[in-house]
Amino acid sequence: NSAFADSKGLKHIQFPAGLKEIRNAAFYNCDSLTTVTISASEAIVGWASFALCDNLQTVYIGAKSIVTSAFMHCSKLHTVVISADVQTIGPEAFRYDTALTGIYFEGDAPQIDNTAFVGVTTTAYYPGWNPTWTADVMQNYSGTITWVALQCQQALCRSHNFRHASLIIRAQQRGAIGHNQVLADVLLQFGIIF
């Protein structure tokens, strides 16, 4: 627990496929951390593991479970991609992440605790062709969430590469399309080489 808490030199973290757990408060208050990529489908993201990472901006979560307060109070976190591997999002997982402007769900609707997004106003994008996304699932979860169905209009989405499509869509919203360097920077944050 708290293995790298308060570290000042970490900027980017990419977790490998074999990882089973990110322990409680492991990266708590890592001020220089800007991007996190978790590509471990069986992993559990522990309690407050990335809480209070003030400069964290983008997160890709390809883990089994996001537990209580995992990413709470990340004041600059603006984009979260939640992979099809995620089955549960725990209480206050994204509490008071007030800069959060986009959450992109790739697969089936996970079980989301009713306090997962306390104090958050954001837009959540989900695969509109997926029947697990029902009105019962699309709630505010103690925040204010606008739900938008993506209907596979982008070529990337048609090829079932939703992760890439969601990043392209995010770049379009920021006006980055047409500005190739900005788009490349967004994609490279997630290790996407094109």
Side-chain angles (χ1 to χ4, degrees):
N1 293 344
S2 305
F4 298 96
D6 301 312
S7 293
K8 303 299 178 200
L10 297 172
K11 288 191 174 207
H12 312 285
I13 301 174
Q14 183 165 354
F15 295 95
L19 184 73
K20 295 294 180 199
E21 179 182 11
I22 299 171
R23 298 233 172 167
N24 295 344
F27 297 92
Y28 181 90
N29 196 34
C30 288
D31 285 343
S32 40
L33 189 60
T34 60
T35 60
V36 172
T37 303
I38 304 167
S39 300
S41 62
E42 294 298 315
I44 296 170
V45 181
W47 172 83
S49 50
F50 296 96
L52 292 167
C53 291
D54 288 337
N55 288 303
L56 185 60
Q57 298 172 28
T58 55
V59 175
Y60 176 84
I61 305 169
K64 184 177 183 177
S65 181
I66 305 164
V67 303
T68 304
S69 306
F71 292 93
M72 75 171 185
H73 292 282
C74 294
S75 61
K76 293 183 183 171
L77 182 60
H78 58 74
T79 305
V80 175
V81 179
I82 297 177
S83 83
D85 297 314
V86 176
Q87 296 174 15
T88 59
I89 300 175
E92 302 182 353
F94 296 94
R95 178 185 177 125
Y96 295 125
D97 291 344
T98 55
L100 193 55
T101 56
I103 307 166
Y104 300 87
F105 291 93
E106 292 183 338
D108 290 351
Q111 180 181 346
I112 305 172
D113 184 85
N114 64 359
T115 63
F117 295 97
V118 171
V120 173
T121 299
T122 191
T123 302
Y125 301 88
Y126 64 95
W129 62 91
N130 185 317
T132 65
W133 289 96
T134 64
D136 289 339
V137 172
M138 293 180 279
Q139 303 297 317
N140 282 320
Y141 301 103
S142 298
T144 304
I145 301 175
T146 302
W147 293 90
V148 176
L150 296 178
Q151 298 300 333
C152 252
Q153 295 175 350
Q154 286 74 20
L156 290 173
C157 198
R158 278 189 218 109
S159 69
H160 303 293
N161 201 337
F162 191 71
R163 174 181 176 202
H164 293 61
S166 62
L167 293 170
I168 295 280
I169 290 163
R170 182 73 186 133
Q172 287 172 333
Q173 291 173 334
R174 289 179 170 240
I177 298 301
H179 301 85
N180 290 335
Q181 186 57 51
V182 176
L183 175 59
D185 290 346
V186 170
L187 295 174
L188 287 172
Q189 284 182 5
F190 287 96
I192 299 166
I193 308 293
F194 59 135

